Amino acid sequence: MLQLPDSPPRMKLPVSVEESYQLCRKITAKYAKTFYLGTLLMTKAKRPAIWAIYAWCRRTDELVDGPAAAVTTPETLDKWEQQLESIFAGYPIDSFDVALVDTLQRFPMDIQPFRDMITGQRMDLYRSRYENFEELYLYCYRVAGTVGLMSTAVMGVDTQQNTAPWNYYQPAYIPTEEAIALGIASQLTNILRDVGEDARRGRIYIPQADLAQFNYTEQDLLKGVVDERWRSLMRFQIDRTRQFYSKAEKGISHLSPDARLPVWAALMHYSKILEKIERNDYNVFDRRACVPQWQKLRSLPIAWLRSQAL
């Protein structure tokens, strides 16, 4: 474990807090356009904190999926976890860390979801196949369900729902499972959208048991075969993913009122990727399922209505 000094050393921060948040904003806008649109609907106080969280998650993912992934080792991730501990102790190591240190001061969080995400990246170092959905679920929780837990700390929960006298001593409900479900739904959506891209990197995330259930082989997948077996398999995967979105929806009403619209918008925008896959006749091998910006904007009034109705 990283040994930290008893008192902070007098050192100059790499960048100012505001400059660090801008770096995080730029990386969010560049790599997560749908997610970034949702953050613009947040309050000015919460928006930068979500950028800081996303930037850390993105940089963590880049260790195993980015340009330098070929040289990433378990020791690389050990050092990254040490840097995480430094951040939580209030010692930023690089320019992006400055924003996350500030975020943690304004929105206290548990370090465990961050550690779990690093553990998920460790899985990508030695696993390229998953036998069943239980194994895939664990992976999805670590690399994406954890994001739901991190974000909930920033979003906040509605403390006004327990104002009735009989609820006076009841704590506000924290939609933990629903937050995890939204992260898992998003990750499963990524997996279905990126089947072809992942296959070209030698990775197959669709469980082997599911392939066998529909008599679709790994060789078929690597060749990009789109037939009725594949369509049936994809319908099954999409239906399961939508069940997680449905579970996530039930938690939005428990969030702070100012967080409901952005979460509804993000959920609706991301789930539309599944509709795009269906419209593309389930061809995810050479056609990327992208939702046009105009469709995202058109769905905002519906997201607003849902946020008000809950």
Side-chain angles (χ1 to χ4, degrees):
M1 181 178 291
L2 181 69
Q3 296 299 313
L4 298 171
D6 294 331
S7 59
R10 298 179 66 85
M11 64 179 183
K12 185 178 185 300
L13 294 179
V15 295
S16 70
V17 173
E18 180 57 34
E19 288 170 333
S20 181
Y21 276 121
Q22 283 303 309
L23 291 173
C24 295
R25 182 192 67 77
K26 290 176 181 177
I27 199 173
T28 306
K30 180 178 180 179
Y31 293 105
K33 293 179 173 59
T34 297
F35 181 77
Y36 180 69
L37 179 60
T39 67
L40 297 181
L41 301 172
M42 296 177 185
T43 64
K44 290 183 178 180
K46 296 179 179 180
R47 187 185 308 155
I50 296 297
W51 294 336
I53 292 171
Y54 175 83
W56 183 87
C57 293
R58 176 73 194 187
R59 295 170 71 213
T60 303
D61 181 72
E62 287 282 295
L63 293 175
V64 295
D65 278 336
V71 297
T72 295
T73 65
E75 290 71 29
T76 305
L77 295 176
D78 288 343
K79 291 179 180 178
W80 188 247
E81 188 160 3
Q82 289 177 348
Q83 184 167 338
L84 172 68
E85 292 172 3
S86 180
I87 292 170
F88 268 78
Y91 302 90
I93 302 299
D94 63 29
S95 297
F96 288 95
D97 293 350
V98 174
L100 188 53
V101 167
D102 183 71
T103 291
L104 292 170
Q105 292 172 350
R106 295 190 295 118
F107 303 98
M109 301 178 207
D110 186 352
I111 194 175
Q112 193 57 48
F114 293 82
R115 285 181 172 148
D116 287 344
M117 175 169 282
I118 295 174
T119 301
Q121 305 306 323
R122 293 184 194 278
M123 294 174 73
D124 268 334
L125 287 182
Y126 65 87
R127 295 198 68 163
S128 60
R129 305 290 188 276
Y130 291 86
E131 183 59 33
N132 51 50
F133 184 69
E134 288 71 24
E135 292 182 358
L136 181 63
Y137 178 91
L138 177 60
Y139 171 76
C140 289
Y141 161 73
R142 287 173 171 169
V143 301
T146 52
V147 181
L149 296 178
M150 300 171 194
S151 301
T152 300
V154 176
M155 299 294 183
V157 297
D158 187 358
T159 59
Q160 301 301 313
Q161 294 188 5
N162 293 332
T163 54
W166 51 87
N167 286 332
Y168 187 77
Y169 294 105
Q170 294 294 323
Y173 177 75
I174 302 176
T176 301
E177 293 301 319
E178 295 87 345
I180 292 172
L182 181 54
I184 289 174
S186 301
Q187 184 62 24
L188 291 174
T189 300
N190 283 339
I191 287 171
L192 298 181
R193 180 194 61 195
D194 298 338
V195 167
E197 179 182 334
D198 289 332
R200 288 188 286 273
R201 294 188 296 173
R203 293 180 183 173
I204 297 178
Y205 288 101
I206 294 178
Q208 299 292 299
D210 291 355
L211 295 175
Q213 179 180 342
F214 291 90
N215 195 32
Y216 190 88
T217 69
E218 185 174 304
Q219 289 68 35
D220 291 328
L221 190 150
L222 294 174
K223 292 177 182 177
V225 175
V226 177
D227 56 16
E228 195 50 42
R229 295 172 303 155
W230 174 252
R231 295 185 186 96
S232 297
L233 171 60
M234 286 293 284
R235 291 188 194 102
F236 177 78
Q237 303 297 321
I238 288 174
D239 286 345
R240 179 161 58 196
T241 303
R242 283 180 170 144
Q243 290 176 25
F244 282 99
Y245 279 119
S246 180
K247 181 176 182 179
E249 289 179 4
K250 295 177 174 63
I252 300 177
S253 63
H254 296 283
L255 294 175
S256 174
D258 64 11
R260 294 173 191 168
L261 172 58
V263 175
W264 262 118
L267 185 152
M268 292 174 64
H269 295 164
Y270 226 75
S271 62
K272 283 184 179 298
I273 294 174
L274 300 178
E275 297 176 13
K276 195 68 175 180
I277 292 173
E278 292 169 330
R279 291 195 186 98
N280 288 345
D281 197 28
Y282 307 100
N283 182 358
V284 290
F285 297 103
D286 50 32
R287 297 184 67 184
R288 185 173 177 84
C290 296
V291 180
Q293 188 78 351
W294 66 266
Q295 285 189 5
K296 297 175 186 176
L297 295 174
R298 192 173 67 176
S299 69
L300 290 180
I302 300 174
W304 183 84
L305 288 172
R306 290 182 176 179
S307 70
Q308 300 302 306
L310 292 174

